[in-house]
C-alpha cells in the first residue's frame, strides 16, 4: 500500500479521472446560468481553463518530441520509449530528472523550477549540444518497413498525434472524431509535400528498425513514385533491407479496364409512386443479371494485384545496382497462413486463388495432398497455376466458379472480400482464415474467424511503443516480420515478384529460430 499523500485521491479512477474536468466545467456553466456571484461562478471555470492549458502544453510538447522526422537526431534518450513508459507517461518526461534526482520537478512547467532554483544546470547546455551535434547523432537504420495511411481515422494513429492512443491497437474512437478536420488538413499537406517520413522505431539485437509512412495518392503512378523514392533514399542512406506493406505491392483498386458490362439499364422503369414495387423488381432483376459480369471483374481485380509494380519487381528491374534489399515479405505471410491450418485437414476452399498469395498457398497445399477448391472464373489462370504443380499433385487443384461449391467445406481461406450472402454458403463450424485487407466482417456467429497473418516480435525488442494498425502490442504484420527475418538472416537476394513455394518452410523456420512467434492459437502444420 502506498504512503499517505503519495498520489491524488482520484488516482484510482485511471483514465476516467478526466471526467473530473467535466464536473468543473458543468459547475461553472451552471453557476453562470443561475447568475450567481462572480466569485461563485468563476473559480470552477478558472480551474478548468488552467487544466486545459496544461493539457494543451503537454500535448504540444509530446507531439513535437514524437515527430521523429524533426527530432530524431536531437533525442536525449536514444533507446526510445516502450509501452511500459507510455502507460506511465503522465508521471514522466524529463530524462535529467530521472538521471539526476533533485532537479526539474515541475514537468512541463519550467517556470516554477526556475523560481524555486531547482532547474538542472545542464538543461540548456545539453539542448544546445544536441542541436549543434544533430548532424553527428544520426544513425543509419538496418531495416525499414514502408507503410502507408489509407483513411483519415487511421491517420491519427501515430505517436506524434496522441501517443497513448498509438500505443493501443487501432479502432475507431468516438472522441477522436472532432479531430478529423485537423487530420484532413494534415493529409492535404502530406499530399502536397509528397514525402515519406519517419513514424516510429525500435531496436532489435542492436539493430535499428524504422517504420516510414506516407499518405496514399489517388493514382498508381503516384504510389509507385513514393515507393521508388523511398527505396532510393534507403539505398543512399545505406539501409540493408526495406520491406513493403500491403498496398505498396498490391493494389486491388487498380483494375484494368477490360471488362465492360454487356447488360445496361436501357429499359425505362416505371416512375410513378404506384409502381414502386415494379421499380424494385426491375432493379433486382438487372443487378442479378449483372452479377456474373461483376464477379468476373472482381476476379481480374484480384489477379491484378501485381499490376501496381509486380510485387516490387518494377523497382529492382529499373535499378539493378541497388544495394538495399527490397522485400515484399509475402513468403512469411504464406507460411503464417499455412501453419494455422491443422495437419488433419484434407480439403480447403480458397478465394483470391490466382493472386500472389493464393497461388503459393494452393501449390503448397496440393503438394501435401490437400484438395484445394480454387474459386476462379479464369480457366487460363487456373491452368497456369495447375501446371506449376508436380504432375502427381495436379489432381488436388480443383477449379470452382461459385461459392456453393464449398457448402461442405469447413476450412475457408479468404483472399478476396466476401459479403454476408457469400459467407452464408459456409457450413456451421467453418473457420475463416484470411489474407484480405481490410479483414472481412464477422457475420457468422456459428463460425470462427482468423486474424490477418501476423507474428509477435522477439522478447528482446527495445523501444517499441506504438501498435501497428489493428495489431496487439509487439505484434506486426507478417510482411513486416518477413523483412525482419530477411535482415536478421543477412540474406542478400531481393524478395520480389512471385512467391518461391520452396522457400516457405525455410523462411518459417528462420522466423521461429530468431524468436518470432505466431499469434494464432492453431500452429500445427504438415
Amino acid at each position: 500500500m502506498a504512503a499517505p499523500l503519495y498520489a491524488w485521491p482520484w488516482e484510482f479512477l485511471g483514465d476516467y479521472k478526466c471526467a473530473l474536468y467535466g464536473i468543473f466545467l458543468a459547475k461553472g456553466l451552471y453557476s453562470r446560468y443561475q447568475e450567481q456571484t462572480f466569485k461563485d461562478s468563476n473559480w470552477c471555470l478558472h480551474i478548468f481553463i488552467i487544466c486545459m492549458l496544461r493539457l494543451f502544453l503537454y500535448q504540444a510538447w509530446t507531439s513535437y518530441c514524437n515527430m521523429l522526422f524533426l527530432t530524431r537526431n536531437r533525442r536525449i534518450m536514444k533507446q526510445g520509449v516502450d509501452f511500459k513508459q507510455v502507460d506511465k507517461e503522465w508521471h514522466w518526461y524529463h530524462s535529467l530528472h530521472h538521471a539526476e534526482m533533485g532537479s526539474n520537478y515541475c514537468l512541463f512547467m519550467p517556470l516554477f523550477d526556475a523560481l524555486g532554483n531547482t532547474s538542472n544546470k545542464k538543461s540548456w547546455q545539453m539542448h544546445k549540444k544536441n542541436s549543434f551535434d544533430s548532424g553527428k547523432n544520426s544513425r543509419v537504420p538496418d531495416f525499414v518497413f514502408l507503410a502507408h495511411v489509407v483513411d483519415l481515422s487511421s491517420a491519427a494513429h501515430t505517436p506524434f498525434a496522441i501517443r497513448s492512443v498509438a500505443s493501443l491497437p487501432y479502432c475507431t474512437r468516438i472522441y477522436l472524431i472532432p479531430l478529423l478536420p485537423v487530420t484532413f488538413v494534415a493529409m492535404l499537406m502530406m499530399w502536397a509535400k509528397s514525402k515519406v517520413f519517419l513514424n516510429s522505431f525500435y531496436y532489435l539485437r542492436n539493430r535499428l528498425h524504422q517504420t516510414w509512412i506516407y499518405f496514399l495518392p489517388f493514382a498508381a503512378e503516384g504510389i509507385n513514385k513514393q515507393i521508388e523514392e523511398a527505396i532510393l533514399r534507403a539505398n543512399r542512406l545505406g539501409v540493408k533491407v526495406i520491406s513493403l506493406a500491403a498496398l505498396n505491392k498490391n493494389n486491388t483498386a487498380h483494375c484494368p479496364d477490360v471488362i465492360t458490362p454487356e447488360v445496361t439499364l436501357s429499359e425505362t422503369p416505371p416512375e410513378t409512386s404506384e409502381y414502386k414495387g415494379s421499380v424494385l423488381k426491375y432493379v433486382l432483376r438487372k443487378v442479378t443479371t449483372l452479377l456474373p459480369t461483376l464477379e468476373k471483374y472482381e476476379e481480374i481485380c484480384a489477379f491484378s494485384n501485381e499490376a501496381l509494380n509486380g510485387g516490387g519487381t518494377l523497382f529492382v528491374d529499373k535499378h539493378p545496382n541497388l544495394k538495399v534489399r527490397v522485400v515484399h515479405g509475402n513468403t512469411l505471410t504464406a507460411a503464417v497462413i499455412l501453419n494455422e491450418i491443422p495437419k488433419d485437414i484434407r480439403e480447403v476452399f480458397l478465394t483470391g486463388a490466382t493472386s500472389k498469395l493464393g497461388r503459393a498457398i494452393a501449390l503448397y497445399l496440393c503438394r501435401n495432398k490437400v484438395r484445394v477448391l480454387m474459386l476462379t472464373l479464369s480457366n487460363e489462370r487456373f491452368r497456369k497455376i495447375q501446371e506449376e504443380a508436380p504432375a502427381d499433385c495436379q489432381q488436388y487443384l480443383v477449379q470452382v466458379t461459385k461459392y456453393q461449391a464449398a457448402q461442405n467445406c469447413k476450412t475457408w481461406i479468404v483472399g478476396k472480400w466476401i459479403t454476408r450472402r457469400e459467407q452464408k454458403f459456409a457450413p456451421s463450424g467453418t473457420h475463416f482464415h484470411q489474407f484480405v485487407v481490410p479483414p472481412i466482417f464477422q457475420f457468422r456467429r456459428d463460425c470462427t474467424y482468423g486474424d490477418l497473418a501476423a507474428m509477435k516480435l522477439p522478447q528482446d525488442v527495445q523501444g517499441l511503443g506504438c501498435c501497428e494498425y489493428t495489431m496487439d502490442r509487439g505484434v506486426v504484420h507478417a510482411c513486416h516480420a518477413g523483412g525482419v527475418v530477411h535482415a536478421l538472416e543477412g540474406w542478400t537476394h531481393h524478395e520480389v515478384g512471385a512467391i518461391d513455394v520452396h522457400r516457405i518452410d525455410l523462411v518459417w523456420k528462420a522466423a521461429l529460430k530468431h524468436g518470432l512467434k505466431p499469434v494464432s492459437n492453431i500452429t500445427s502444420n504438415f
Side-chain angles (χ1 to χ4, degrees):
M1 182 176 179
L5 303 180
Y6 175 79
W8 294 106
W10 50 78
E11 191 70 20
F12 72 95
L13 294 175
D15 292 339
Y16 294 101
K17 60 178 176 286
C18 296
L20 294 174
Y21 297 137
I23 297 177
F24 286 109
L25 178 62
K27 172 62 177 175
L29 295 178
Y30 180 77
S31 299
R32 279 299 184 91
Y33 177 77
Q34 296 294 329
E35 297 183 354
Q36 295 183 8
T37 62
F38 179 83
K39 181 178 180 182
D40 292 338
S41 63
N42 280 274
W43 70 273
C44 288
L45 282 178
H46 289 168
I47 292 178
F48 177 79
I49 292 172
I50 291 174
C51 291
M52 290 301 103
L53 288 175
R54 184 182 185 278
L55 180 62
F56 173 78
L57 182 63
Y58 163 82
Q59 181 59 46
W61 278 110
T62 300
S63 297
Y64 174 73
C65 292
N66 285 280
M67 292 180 179
L68 300 178
F69 47 91
L70 297 177
T71 63
R72 64 183 181 276
N73 295 334
R74 293 181 170 88
R75 297 179 63 87
I76 298 176
M77 308 297 288
K78 302 297 182 183
Q79 71 270 24
V81 179
D82 58 16
F83 291 113
K84 292 182 180 179
Q85 186 58 60
V86 173
D87 292 339
K88 300 177 181 178
E89 62 181 357
W90 288 96
H91 308 288
W92 178 77
Y93 272 74
H94 292 183
S95 59
L96 281 177
H97 171 73
H98 287 268
E100 300 180 16
M101 301 297 180
S103 64
N104 292 5
Y105 292 106
C106 302
L107 306 183
F108 313 108
M109 297 290 181
L111 172 63
F112 299 105
D113 273 317
L115 294 176
N117 198 28
T118 56
S119 297
N120 193 289
K121 306 302 181 182
K122 300 178 182 179
S123 295
W124 290 111
Q125 295 178 0
M126 180 173 292
H127 283 288
K128 287 181 180 179
K129 186 177 185 302
N130 279 341
S131 297
F132 290 141
D133 296 343
S134 60
K136 304 176 183 178
N137 293 334
S138 61
R139 174 177 173 179
V140 176
D142 299 277
F143 166 74
V144 167
F145 179 60
L146 182 60
H148 48 75
V149 176
V150 181
D151 54 52
L152 284 178
S153 58
S154 64
H157 192 253
T158 56
F160 61 82
I162 303 179
R163 193 170 71 176
S164 58
V165 172
S167 69
L168 300 173
Y170 167 75
C171 65
T172 301
R173 292 176 170 84
I174 297 178
Y175 60 85
L176 293 181
I177 293 180
L179 298 179
L180 289 182
V182 179
T183 308
F184 179 74
V185 174
M187 179 189 68
L188 294 179
M189 294 174 60
M190 292 295 179
W191 274 344
K193 190 173 179 59
S194 297
K195 294 291 184 181
V196 175
F197 60 92
L198 173 62
N199 180 64
S200 61
F201 71 94
Y202 62 89
Y203 288 91
L204 181 61
R205 293 161 199 175
N206 202 32
R207 299 170 184 258
L208 176 59
H209 293 192
Q210 292 182 348
T211 297
W212 297 355
I213 62 174
Y214 68 95
F215 282 83
L216 285 174
F218 290 109
E221 293 77 10
I223 297 176
N224 279 335
K225 181 182 177 182
Q226 295 275 14
I227 300 172
E228 183 177 13
E229 289 180 354
I231 291 175
L232 294 178
R233 176 185 171 189
N235 191 65
R236 288 193 302 269
L237 291 175
V239 177
K240 297 177 181 178
V241 176
I242 182 169
S243 181
L244 307 180
L247 296 183
N248 288 330
K249 49 187 181 285
N250 296 335
N251 187 18
T252 56
H254 181 63
C255 302
D257 298 325
V258 297
I259 294 294
T260 54
E262 299 176 358
V263 181
T264 59
L265 299 178
S266 57
E267 302 175 13
T268 303
E271 296 180 357
T272 59
S273 59
E274 59 183 315
Y275 291 108
K276 287 183 179 179
S278 300
V279 173
L280 179 60
K281 291 179 181 178
Y282 165 80
V283 172
L284 289 176
R285 184 173 70 251
K286 288 305 178 183
V287 170
T288 303
T289 308
L290 283 169
L291 277 177
T293 304
L294 295 176
E295 286 180 354
K296 189 168 184 180
Y297 186 68
E298 272 191 69
E299 176 66 28
I300 291 180
C301 287
F303 188 78
S304 69
N305 283 347
E306 298 302 304
L308 183 64
N309 51 53
T313 305
L314 172 67
F315 312 114
V316 174
D317 292 343
K318 186 176 180 180
H319 304 283
N321 297 322
L322 286 175
K323 294 182 180 179
V324 62
R325 303 294 95 177
V326 181
V327 176
H328 56 49
N330 282 340
T331 306
L332 185 56
T333 302
V336 171
I337 297 170
L338 290 165
N339 279 273
E340 290 178 351
I341 303 174
K343 61 182 179 181
D344 58 342
I345 295 296
R346 305 322 307 166
E347 183 182 67
V348 301
F349 175 62
L350 177 64
T351 72
T354 59
S355 65
K356 177 169 55 182
L357 274 168
R359 165 195 163 273
I361 291 171
L363 291 175
Y364 186 96
L365 289 175
C366 78
R367 294 182 182 188
N368 288 277
K369 306 299 186 288
V370 178
R371 189 168 182 258
V372 183
L373 304 178
M374 299 177 63
L375 180 67
T376 174
L377 294 175
S378 174
N379 296 329
E380 180 183 355
R381 308 298 188 196
F382 171 76
R383 285 196 300 267
K384 185 177 180 180
I385 295 176
Q386 189 180 43
E387 291 171 357
E388 290 187 66
D392 60 335
C393 299
Q394 294 182 3
Q395 58 180 317
Y396 294 101
L397 298 180
V398 180
Q399 181 184 8
V400 297
T401 58
K402 297 181 181 297
Y403 287 89
Q404 291 89 324
Q407 292 185 22
N408 298 318
C409 181
K410 292 190 176 183
T411 301
W412 284 37
I413 305 177
V414 182
K416 185 177 67 172
W417 180 265
I418 55 176
T419 63
R420 179 197 294 266
R421 180 180 67 87
E422 293 160 344
Q423 291 186 31
K424 286 183 178 179
F425 291 113
S428 179
T430 295
H431 182 77
F432 292 93
H433 305 270
Q434 52 183 320
F435 58 93
V436 59
V437 179
I440 61 176
F441 291 132
Q442 301 183 13
F443 292 119
R444 297 282 300 273
R445 293 186 177 181
D446 58 341
C447 299
T448 56
Y449 294 79
D451 297 323
L452 293 178
M455 297 199 79
K456 187 174 181 63
L457 292 172
Q459 294 182 353
D460 55 342
V461 64
Q462 297 177 326
L464 182 62
C466 64
C467 291
E468 188 169 286
Y469 199 40
T470 59
M471 300 295 159
D472 290 331
R473 290 182 167 185
V475 178
V476 296
H477 291 87
C479 56
H480 183 157
V484 172
V485 173
H486 204 97
L488 292 175
E489 283 289 311
W491 289 330
T492 58
H493 67 280
H494 295 288
E495 184 190 334
V496 295
I499 297 174
D500 185 353
V501 181
H502 297 90
R503 291 187 60 86
I504 291 178
D505 288 335
L506 174 66
V507 173
W508 175 254
K509 292 177 181 178
L512 298 181
K513 179 184 71 174
H514 287 289
L516 284 88
K517 298 179 180 179
V519 295
S520 174
N521 293 327
I522 306 174
T523 57
S524 59
N525 197 359
F526 310 96

